[in-house]
């Protein structure tokens, strides 16, 4: 709730001009109050128009400056206005968004400073965990839908190996070999490097035995680290992230009509595997991009997606990977999804991606080293001209203070405003472990995703093939287990049609035709598969 507006006579002309830039007519999120000459002005509110949240954003700042609390503040206001939110909880301290906050001197003092009518409030939440590692509803992806480009990032393959992995996926698509989990992909690569599969390897073109061997070793090592649990079925349906809080989710507001659901991906158990969780976040975003229809500009976004520790996503990324990220960020806006990248400095985000981020909340930066000073100067250059000395201001900001510029309702950048941010209404810290566990097991989604399913796929089909064919070798045109001879050949005395239709050759032909026409996977951004739901 905004405080009383100030008049132009209460502030210097420059400050009054800044305040006027945040006087929006439509629904908006309240970030905090303007700081000018070291004084906080509770009547001068700094806000973000709700309709501009799909124009993406950046929340940046050094460790300990309040980025996580800023995410919490924005997320709970979005939920209150009916917008679903996705948050990645890297450190395990965001789960408190489902519970009412606790009043103390710091909270009440902050609320008084910024003109906030603070009251404790929880918001409807669902809690997820990658592969069920940790406390949360398991989130899994099949290897097929994950695609070769994202998987290459996880496996830390170079550009040549990434291209080769793409050929392996193409081969599996053509032959109807479903890649559900890592053992499926490992089985396909092992087959292609075997004496029987080497002719198939040559037919693919551009894939050497040595490169396939490198990929196989990377897969084996990755699986040995316990990463196999993240790939499999049931695969998570990303449309779950678009729900409202009605009828599901934990928190004081659960079941309240009109509130957006806050989906929290709990990552403390995998925070030492940054490439894995950052790439999985990108898969979630790419999958949403595939499935959502074009809607153009809406009064409010369908979902706002917070991408924490964003520098991990871009570190060591291939050219194809970066191009795919840029395309996804640029185009997903028209599907009603806003993306906020969260990192330490804007230089962590490639320029082509940074150019798409219209809303900025920049917390304090430190300048202890020459590299820090260089990063500070680079950050200042990314802001519009302002009345502040930003180099000095950015190093002097306190915890919970930030330099803000957003897009106005007309799509133009607002004046740069140094802002003291509001206090979140929900609990600023983790909820008790038992309460989190109860929330997860009490979810309607738990029974749908909790138990892993291992159905017949590439591994089982290739395993069945080996004993059936012995050492005869041959092509992998239909790489699946063959039925016993008696089931393939018709009984003598049947009609000519029955003999032909029942013959192994005819069935093999049908499988081949079906493979070529029906099993080729349609792939798009990141080489991820379009799922047929």
């Amino acid at each position: 709730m905004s405080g009383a507006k100030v008049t132009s006579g209460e502030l210097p002309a420059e400050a009054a001009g800044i305040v006027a830039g945040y006087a929006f007519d439509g629904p908006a999120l309240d970030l905090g109050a303007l700081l000018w000459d070291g004084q906080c002005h509770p009547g001068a509110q700094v806000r973000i128009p709700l309709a501009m949240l799909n124009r993406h954003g950046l929340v940046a700042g050094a460790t300990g400056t309040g980025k996580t609390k800023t995410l919490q503040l924005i997320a709970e206001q979005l939920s209150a206005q009916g917008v679903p939110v996705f948050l990645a909880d890297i450190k395990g301290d965001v789960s408190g968004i489902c519970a009412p906050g606790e009043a103390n001197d710091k909270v009440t003092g902050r609320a008084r400073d910024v003109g906030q009518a603070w009251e404790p409030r929880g918001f409807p939440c669902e809690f997820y965990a990658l592969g069920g590692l940790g406390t949360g509803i398991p989130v899994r992806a099949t290897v097929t839908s994950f695609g070769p480009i994202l998987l290459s990032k996880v496996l830390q393959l170079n550009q040549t190996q990434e291209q080769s992995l793409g050929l392996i996926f193409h081969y599996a698509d053509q032959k109807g070999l479903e890649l559900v989990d890592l053992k499926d992909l490992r089985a396909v690569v092992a087959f292609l490097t075997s004496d029987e599969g080497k002719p198939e390897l040559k037919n693919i073109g551009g894939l050497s035995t040595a490169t396939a061997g490198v990929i196989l070793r990377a897969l084996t090592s990755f699986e040995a680290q316990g990463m196999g649990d993240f790939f499999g079925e049931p695969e998570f349906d990303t449309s779950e992230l678009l729900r409202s809080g009605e009828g599901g989710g934990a928190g004081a507001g659960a079941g309240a009509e009109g509130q957006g659901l806050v989906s929290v991906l709990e990552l403390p158990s995998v925070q030492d595997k940054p490439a894995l969780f950052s790439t999985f976040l990108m898969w979630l975003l790419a999958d949403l991009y595939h499935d959502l229809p074009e809607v153009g500009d809406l009064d409010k976004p369908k979902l706002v997606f917070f991408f924490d520790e964003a520098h991990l996503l871009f570190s060591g990324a291939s050219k194809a990977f970066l191009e795919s990220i840029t395309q996804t960020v640029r185009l997903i806006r028209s599907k009603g999804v806003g993306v906020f990248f969260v990192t330490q400095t804007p230089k962590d985000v490639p320029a082509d991606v940074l150019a798409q981020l219209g809303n900025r909340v920049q917390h304090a930066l430190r300048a202890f080293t020459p590299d820090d000073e260089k990063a500070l100067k680079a950050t200042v250059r990314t802001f519009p001209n302002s009345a502040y000395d930003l180099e000095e201001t950015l190093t002097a900001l306190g915890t919970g203070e930030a330099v803000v510029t957003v897009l106005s309702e007309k799509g133009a950048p607002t004046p740069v405003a140094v802002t003291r941010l509001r206090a979140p209404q929900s609990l600023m810290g983790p909820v008790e472990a038992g309460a989190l566990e109860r929330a997860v097991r009490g979810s309607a989604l738990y029974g749908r995703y909790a138990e892993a399913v291992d159905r017949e796929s590439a591994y089982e089909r290739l395993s069945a093939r080996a004993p059936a064919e012995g050492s005869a070798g041959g092509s992998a045109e239909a790489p699946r287990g063959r039925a016993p001879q008696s089931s393939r050949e018709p009984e003598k005395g049947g009609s000519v049609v029955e003999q032909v239709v029942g013959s192994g050759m005819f069935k093999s032909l049908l499988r081949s035709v079906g493979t070529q026409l029906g099993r080729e996977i349609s792939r798009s951004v990141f080489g991820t598969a379009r799922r047929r739901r």
Side-chain angles (χ1 to χ4, degrees), residues 82-104:
V83 178
V85 176
F86 174 88
L87 289 172
D89 187 7
I90 307 290
K91 300 184 291 291
D93 55 0
V94 182
S95 60
I97 196 169
C98 71
E102 298 174 351
N104 55 43

Side-chain angles (χ1 to χ4, degrees), residues 175-197:
K175 302 303 179 183
L177 294 171
E178 294 181 85
L179 305 176
V180 174
D181 50 27
L182 288 181
K183 73 176 185 298
D184 290 322
L185 181 56
R186 188 158 37 83
V188 172
V189 179
F191 170 75
L192 290 173
T193 54
S194 68
D195 291 340
E196 182 183 359

Side-chain angles (χ1 to χ4, degrees), residues 71 75 78-79 83-90 94 97 126-130 139 236 238 240-243 260-267 277-278 280-282 284-285 288 302-308 337-340 342:
L71 301 189
L78 285 167
S79 174
V83 178
V85 176
F86 174 88
L87 289 172
D89 187 7
I90 307 290
V94 182
I97 196 169
E126 290 279 16
F127 297 98
Y128 300 97
L130 288 185
V139 175
F236 182 69
T238 51
E240 308 283 10
L241 304 179
L242 303 174
R243 296 179 297 141
L261 188 68
V262 181
S263 298
V264 182
L265 183 63
E266 293 292 326
L267 294 171
F277 69 69
S278 65
F280 247 93
L281 295 184
M282 200 66 233
L284 290 172
L285 197 58
L288 284 165
K302 288 185 174 182
L303 173 73
V304 175
F305 193 103
F306 289 92
F307 211 121
D308 205 357
V337 176
V339 183
F340 273 69
V342 185

